[in-house]
Amino acid sequence: NAGVTQTPKFRVLKTGQSMTLLCAQDMNHEYMYWYRQDPGMGLRLIHYSVGEGTTAKGEVPDGYNVSRLKKQNFLLGLESAAPSQTSVYFCASNDSPGHREKLFFGSGTQLSVL
Amino acid sequence: AQSVTQLDSHVSVSEGTPVLLRCNYSSSYSPSLFWYVQHPNKGLQLLLKYTSAATLVKGINGFEAEFKKSETSFHLTKPSAHMSDAAEYFCVVSEAGGGNKLTFGTGTQLKVEL
């Protein structure tokens, strides 16, 4: 019953460093999403994927890259971290287009960029 | 374009009293509407969803919401609050023509006091 698993749970970076956040789901879902959550702003979509080997830009994609080499994994990369990327990052997945079906969320990654 | 407004950033109730969390939406097409709940340090979990079937939607843990097109509202209610209901609640809207785009509200923090 793992569902959606995110690693790491916490990370502190210095400005300019790079890192990759990993999202893994064991529900055989086609669709996967990366969101960021900032105080007073709700969740905003960074990138998403509609299937293995595909990715697409969301609402706030700048400064991030993603890859979906395997159906169960969706990676979010920060090539050169900036303080504006301090946030809580959530991965989500579902088995049909996001506008009608429930999303299954991971427990989040808290990232601080100093 | 779609948008969602959660009218209260914080709501405080006493245990055993009714809960009302207010949400207004704007949509150019037939919307789908959702309420998600986020407990501390957890991912979001779907409470209920409206997708053009019955206007009164029942969800988990005794919550329900009524879709009122004339008022463009989708308020969340519960007859009797429990301490375990303390969490942050997000109203979410999606349009039929909006692809994978979900728009999240800014959240309402519910506090339940003894």
Side-chain angles (χ1 to χ4, degrees), chain B residues 19-94:
Chain B
V19 175
L20 170 64
L21 305 183
R22 298 182 295 165
C23 173
N24 287 116
Y25 71 91
S26 173
S27 174
S28 302
Y29 302 93
S30 299
S32 295
L33 291 155
F34 309 79
W35 276 99
Y36 280 83
V37 60
Q38 183 181 27
H39 291 279
N41 301 315
K42 301 287 186 184
L44 280 71
Q45 178 186 16
L46 182 68
L47 270 180
L48 50 81
K49 67 176 182 179
Y50 165 79
T51 54
S52 75
T55 57
L56 181 62
V57 182
K58 294 187 184 297
I60 61 172
N61 300 333
F63 284 94
E64 62 181 38
E66 186 171 7
F67 174 72
K68 292 187 176 181
K69 186 175 181 178
S70 61
E71 299 177 11
T72 61
S73 69
F74 190 58
H75 302 334
L76 182 70
T77 60
K78 183 174 181 178
S80 177
H82 191 272
M83 294 296 291
S84 60
D85 296 328
E88 189 156 23
Y89 293 80
F90 292 91
C91 183
V92 184
V93 66
S94 180

Side-chain angles (χ1 to χ4, degrees), chain A residues 5-18:
Chain A
T5 303
Q6 291 182 232
T7 53
K9 294 190 182 302
F10 303 94
R11 185 72 186 268
V12 178
L13 291 178
K14 295 181 179 179
T15 297
Q17 287 184 318
S18 63

Side-chain angles (χ1 to χ4, degrees), chain A residues 31 33 35 37 40-43 45 48 50 59 90 96-108 110, chain B residues 30 32 34 36 38 41-46 49 51-52 88 90 94-96 98-102 104-107:
Chain A
Y31 300 81
Y33 312 83
Y35 288 91
Q37 183 181 30
M41 299 190 73
L43 272 71
L45 182 65
Y48 64 98
V50 301
E59 186 181 353
F90 287 99
S96 67
H99 73 265
R100 284 192 175 266
E101 295 301 324
K102 85 183 259 189
L103 289 167
F104 293 81
F105 282 86
S107 56
Q110 190 164 334
Chain B
S30 299
S32 295
F34 309 79
Y36 280 83
Q38 183 181 27
N41 301 315
K42 301 287 186 184
L44 280 71
Q45 178 186 16
L46 182 68
K49 67 176 182 179
T51 54
S52 75
E88 189 156 23
F90 292 91
S94 180
E95 293 179 333
N100 288 313
K101 181 173 172 58
L102 297 178
F104 285 77
T106 53

Side-chain angles (χ1 to χ4, degrees), chain A residues 32-34 45-50 54-58 74, chain B residues 100:
Chain A
M32 297 186 74
Y33 312 83
W34 276 107
L45 182 65
I46 304 171
H47 285 282
Y48 64 98
S49 169
V50 301
T54 73
T55 63
K57 294 181 180 180
F74 194 30
Chain B
N100 288 313

Side-chain angles (χ1 to χ4, degrees), chain A residues 6-112:
Chain A
Q6 291 182 232
T7 53
K9 294 190 182 302
F10 303 94
R11 185 72 186 268
V12 178
L13 291 178
K14 295 181 179 179
T15 297
Q17 287 184 318
S18 63
M19 77 161 294
T20 300
L21 281 67
L22 172 63
C23 176
Q25 53 94 4
D26 61 2
M27 296 171 283
N28 202 36
H29 285 167
E30 287 291 340
Y31 300 81
M32 297 186 74
Y33 312 83
W34 276 107
Y35 288 91
R36 60 177 289 171
Q37 183 181 30
D38 300 294
M41 299 190 73
L43 272 71
R44 293 180 292 168
L45 182 65
I46 304 171
H47 285 282
Y48 64 98
S49 169
V50 301
E52 182 178 319
T54 73
T55 63
K57 294 181 180 180
E59 186 181 353
V60 288
D62 294 342
Y64 305 95
N65 56 76
V66 288
S67 64
R68 182 99 182 267
L69 298 179
K70 293 183 178 180
K71 186 177 184 179
Q72 64 268 33
N73 296 337
F74 194 30
L75 279 64
L76 178 70
L78 286 72
E79 290 186 347
S80 180
S84 61
Q85 294 177 304
T86 294
S87 188
V88 181
Y89 292 85
F90 287 99
C91 177
S93 72
N94 63 6
D95 56 6
S96 67
H99 73 265
R100 284 192 175 266
E101 295 301 324
K102 85 183 259 189
L103 289 167
F104 293 81
F105 282 86
S107 56
T109 296
Q110 190 164 334
L111 175 65
S112 295

